[in-house]
Amino acid sequence: MLFSGVAQHFSKVEAIDSRLEMSGEIAGLLQGCKPSEARQLVYIMEGNVAPSHEGLDVGIGEKFAIRALAKTSGYTVHRVEADYKKSGDLGATAEALLAKKAQLSLSSSENTLSKVYASFLKIARMSGAGSQEAKIGVLSELLNGATPLEAKYLVRFCLGKLRLGVGDPSIIDALSMARHGDKTDKAVLERAFNLCSDLGEVSEVYLSGKDLSRFSAAPFKPIRPALAERLPNAKEIIEKLCSDEKDEGKTPIISRKCAVEAKYDGLRMQVHLKDGEVEIYSRKLEKMTHMFPEIVEAAAALPAKNAIFEGEALAYSAREKKYYSFQQTIQRKRKHGVEKMAEDFPLRLFAFDIMYLDSEDLTLTPYLERRKILEKLVRNNKAIVPSDLIYTDSPKKLDEYFQRALSEGLEGIIAKDLVQPYVAGARKFAWIKLKKSYGELADSVDAVIVGYYLGKGAREEFKFGGVLAAVRNDETGALETIAKIGGGFTEEEMSSLAEELEKIKTKEKPRGVISKLEPDFWVEPKIVITVAADEITLSPMHTAGSVGGTGYALRFPRMVSMRDDKSPADATTVREVISMFEMQRRKSAQ
Ligand code: ATP
């Protein structure tokens, strides 16, 4: 397939607002691809050359892309910079400059999708001295054979700013549409993706006609994490997890127990063992193996060759007899360095689930059975221990356990349905969290920063007065604003945020952001922060879940922490905000 054809489809996709139409357009593109090309195309649409857990990054700096563009177009660096300053989009500048050049000379050879992909991969693998020069060479060669429209997407891709507005859910719909004309295979595609976190691989396997229903988890392919729902109190949790039926008066009939686990405020880790080799993935599924030598050592000593299990890691100081939270763990790691940290504050991993053991995919095995397998696996290990739990069907016992957890400095509890499978990549009622309260809110909100304000008065020195934050509409994929946050930032956070935001500011409102407010600067939606608030209210100023001009908003919002372990795709959704709003109503009616 020629890349010029891909660029034409991209250009159409960019102009479409409806997600369904967008998927239809991509389906058409996929139909013209061989399965191996579909894999390459999917990575490119995701803005990468491999699934993100591979850690490959094309990463050409703006300055270098400008030089490559100057080299190809024959214009001076100065001229390219001037045009870029005007357009604010180096891709658009590339398109315009190459269009002028095209009038003078016809380009040499045509780029195929496979050639473009192979070049990007080459660029991503270049490192060390002289690599930037070599990257410029590869990009210039691609630009030489490119139409102006192709150039636009090549340049944007290299800068990590493809901006097609196509998320993984749209690609999944498109794959099914490419084969069946509708979304018939959506569920089976989603499951395969959740089990390997590699949509490129899923696309290739699927479009070569193989049966995805037998797709299995495998070591060194991170599983998209199971997530917890929320309910406001012990009674509702027991009713949800311990009953399948209701009596005539519609009261749930309690027929089984549930597990109630301690909720540790640490760092989520997915540990993989493959033929004795260990790999550790973060919640965002990035490799972080080298950061935790003590967990690697402990995992390698387990009585299994191949396994995937999950837990929450906390630093423990034997001297102080105290656990440290996620934030404290990270801060200490920065201060002490990896080795010293391992010595002074050894980590303990509280294992809470197992998804694979010695060639067996356990994701469809019920929780209770998985738990037994997990306990047997980590028995006798010092650093990896099973999470603490009780089994109960009594709201009173659940409540007592919750209160005890809080008094021990834990964050709350996570109750789990004994008969449910591991629901990879989804927030389902298989797990329900109950946390220490945040005002009237059942939980804090993880919001994406979409813009920021400049500081006034004392804030002036930080060039930072607060942020505009948004939640994710999971139906449309849009980011809808929910709060303007000025409070809760430490001075250190203010200056480091100001620095980071400065780097990602954009001239215009980013595509996919829906806002009535106009911050001093818009930014690429990349940074996620945890926000606490007194309650959720309705407001005409915000667009989250907006109906008839009124959206949901956070009242007295304040920053709690940076969430480096989350990407915008993991932000709180509008659906969750609405369910928290409903819970708040039920709470105040009690
Ligand atoms: P989420 O992971 O649900 O998006 P979050 O990252 O903001 O939200 P919380 O809502 O506080 O975190 O709770 C869920 C997280 O709790 C899990 O992702 C996991 O990291 C952590 N956790 C701690 N203890 C447990 C446990 N016993 N079982 C499952 N998860 C646990």
Side-chain angles (χ1 to χ4, degrees):
M1 163 165 287
L2 289 179
F3 197 70
S4 53
V6 173
Q8 277 166 6
H9 278 279
F10 280 2
S11 173
K12 283 190 197 149
V13 167
E14 231 190 312
I16 299 174
D17 278 332
S18 134
R19 203 166 114 182
L20 188 67
E21 260 180 67
M22 198 186 267
S23 295
E25 183 62 37
I26 299 167
L29 179 54
L30 286 166
Q31 275 167 340
C33 288
K34 288 188 223 134
S36 60
E37 287 176 329
R39 182 184 197 128
Q40 299 167 346
L41 177 71
V42 166
Y43 291 146
I44 290 176
M45 286 193 292
E46 285 182 320
N48 216 327
V49 284
S52 56
H53 55 261
E54 295 290 337
L56 279 173
D57 186 7
V58 172
I60 288 197
E62 219 164 63
K63 270 195 204 136
F64 297 97
I66 289 174
R67 277 180 45 203
L69 188 52
K71 196 169 161 187
T72 319
S73 66
Y75 289 99
T76 61
V77 165
H78 191 68
R79 167 73 197 272
V80 177
E81 275 172 351
D83 279 20
Y84 171 39
K85 217 169 183 182
K86 265 189 241 153
S87 74
D89 171 4
L90 196 59
T93 295
E95 184 180 13
L97 293 181
L98 287 204
K100 286 185 188 149
K101 183 196 165 200
Q103 289 165 2
L104 305 174
S105 67
L106 276 175
S107 54
S108 45
S109 66
E110 288 180 308
N111 291 324
T112 59
L113 168 60
S114 294
K115 179 179 170 194
V116 168
Y117 176 78
S119 304
F120 285 157
L121 193 62
K122 203 159 141 193
I123 291 177
R125 287 186 175 147
M126 286 172 172
S127 63
S131 64
Q132 284 295 350
E133 287 305 319
K135 286 182 185 185
I136 293 177
V138 179
L139 177 58
S140 314
E141 198 196 314
L142 280 183
L143 289 172
N144 257 328
T147 62
L149 193 63
E150 264 181 85
K152 172 178 177 177
Y153 295 107
L154 291 172
V155 167
R156 278 195 188 166
F157 179 85
C158 288
L159 297 178
K161 294 179 176 170
L162 196 58
R163 295 199 203 130
L164 291 180
V166 178
D168 291 335
S170 306
I171 300 178
I172 287 176
D173 288 349
L175 283 165
S176 178
M177 287 156 88
R179 223 166 105 171
H180 296 292
D182 59 24
K183 298 190 197 169
T184 313
D185 279 346
K186 183 177 167 158
V188 78
L189 281 158
E190 268 172 358
R191 177 168 155 75
F193 175 47
N194 286 334
L195 289 184
C196 69
S197 308
D198 184 344
L199 200 48
E201 176 182 339
V202 172
S203 310
E204 182 169 356
V205 174
Y206 178 70
L207 292 178
S208 57
K210 293 204 185 103
D211 178 13
L212 278 188
S213 61
R214 293 214 300 271
F215 202 92
S216 155
F220 287 13
K221 291 182 185 170
I223 299 176
R224 305 221 310 141
L227 302 172
E229 270 289 359
R230 309 167 180 85
L231 280 175
N233 55 48
K235 182 168 172 279
E236 288 194 35
I237 293 177
I238 294 293
E239 285 179 359
K240 187 87 189 170
L241 296 182
C242 305
S243 74
D244 296 316
E245 291 170 76
K246 292 188 173 162
D247 69 12
E248 310 246 300
K250 298 279 183 232
T251 311
I253 302 169
I254 304 299
S255 56
R256 62 170 184 270
K257 292 188 174 177
C258 66
V260 182
E261 296 192 19
K263 183 176 190 307
Y264 303 92
D265 186 11
L267 193 61
R268 188 171 185 159
M269 282 185 187
Q270 199 178 98
V271 183
H272 288 228
L273 263 172
K274 186 176 179 183
D275 298 327
E277 289 286 302
V278 180
E279 206 72 87
I280 302 174
Y281 299 92
S282 69
R283 188 188 181 290
K284 242 172 142 177
L285 307 180
E286 284 167 347
K287 273 184 206 162
M288 46 178 197
T289 317
H290 65 282
M291 289 162 74
F292 303 103
E294 64 271 60
I295 302 296
V296 172
E297 196 183 315
L302 291 172
K305 275 205 135 161
N306 294 289
I308 306 176
F309 62 95
E310 223 174 18
E312 190 84 359
L314 287 177
Y316 180 69
S317 156
R319 194 167 41 84
E320 297 165 66
K321 292 201 173 57
K322 191 176 157 192
Y323 287 105
Y324 286 89
S325 74
F326 167 70
Q327 283 302 322
Q328 291 163 324
T329 306
I330 294 291
Q331 273 164 17
R332 271 165 199 262
K333 182 164 291 137
R334 280 197 197 122
K335 238 199 218 152
H336 296 251
V338 171
E339 295 297 331
K340 189 88 176 70
M341 170 85 189
E343 220 174 88
D344 294 351
F345 300 94
L347 282 189
R348 192 160 292 176
L349 182 66
F350 293 92
F352 54 72
D353 219 317
I354 183 157
M355 296 85 102
Y356 187 92
L357 186 65
D358 291 335
S359 8
E360 204 185 331
D361 181 330
L362 299 174
T363 54
L364 294 175
T365 306
Y367 169 89
L368 191 55
E369 238 177 279
R370 295 201 309 278
R371 175 76 195 189
K372 285 190 183 139
I373 297 171
L374 177 69
E375 284 177 4
K376 194 166 158 217
L377 177 70
V378 302
R379 198 172 47 194
N380 303 329
N381 198 295
K382 259 201 188 141
I384 307 174
V385 296
S387 56
D388 190 65
L389 58 64
I390 57 163
Y391 293 101
T392 187
D393 55 6
S394 143
K396 188 164 166 273
K397 291 245 167 68
L398 190 154
D399 224 6
E400 282 168 7
Y401 188 76
F402 174 62
Q403 296 304 340
R404 200 170 78 218
L406 295 190
S407 70
E408 284 172 3
L410 294 165
E411 233 196 337
I413 56 101
I414 300 208
K416 299 184 177 176
D417 192 326
L418 299 188
V419 300
Q420 287 294 323
Y422 182 87
V423 278
R427 195 177 293 283
K428 288 276 160 67
F429 281 100
W431 292 6
I432 305 177
K433 55 187 172 187
L434 187 62
K435 290 160 82 168
K436 65 175 177 238
S437 70
Y438 293 89
E440 284 298 302
L441 280 191
D443 200 352
S444 49
V445 168
D446 293 325
V448 187
I449 299 180
V450 295
Y452 69 104
Y453 298 86
L454 291 175
K456 290 195 190 84
R459 296 274 180 103
E460 225 157 322
E461 69 168 292
F462 301 106
K463 294 202 180 74
F464 176 81
V467 298
L468 180 62
V471 287
R472 198 165 51 86
N473 183 324
D474 41 355
E475 271 164 36
T476 61
L479 289 171
E480 302 175 348
T481 73
I482 189 158
K484 231 172 108 171
I485 306 145
F489 299 93
T490 61
E491 288 194 357
E492 201 188 332
E493 279 166 345
M494 276 198 259
S495 60
S496 75
L497 246 185
E499 214 172 280
E500 272 186 65
L501 291 169
E502 165 84 30
K503 279 190 224 148
I504 54 170
K505 66 185 185 194
T506 57
K507 248 190 171 168
E508 279 163 26
K509 180 159 66 75
R511 184 169 154 79
V513 172
I514 302 182
S515 175
K516 290 184 189 169
L517 298 170
E518 180 90 16
D520 291 332
F521 295 105
W522 295 106
V523 294
E524 296 271 340
K526 281 195 171 151
I527 303 175
V528 179
I529 56 174
T530 294
V531 186
D534 281 7
E535 60 175 343
I536 298 172
T537 54
L538 294 173
S539 155
M541 299 308 293
H542 286 287
T543 52
S546 168
V547 178
T550 304
Y552 293 87
L554 298 179
R555 184 153 178 269
F556 298 130
R558 50 211 175 259
M559 153 93 172
V560 176
S561 59
M562 300 289 297
R563 291 302 300 260
D564 299 338
D565 63 330
K566 281 198 168 187
S567 58
D570 305 314
T572 302
T573 61
V574 168
R575 187 184 65 83
E576 291 176 73
V577 170
I578 297 174
S579 109
M580 280 194 256
F581 182 71
E582 296 299 328
M583 271 188 239
Q584 184 182 293
R585 277 193 175 165
R586 293 211 291 280
K587 213 170 163 188
S588 51
Q590 268 171 13

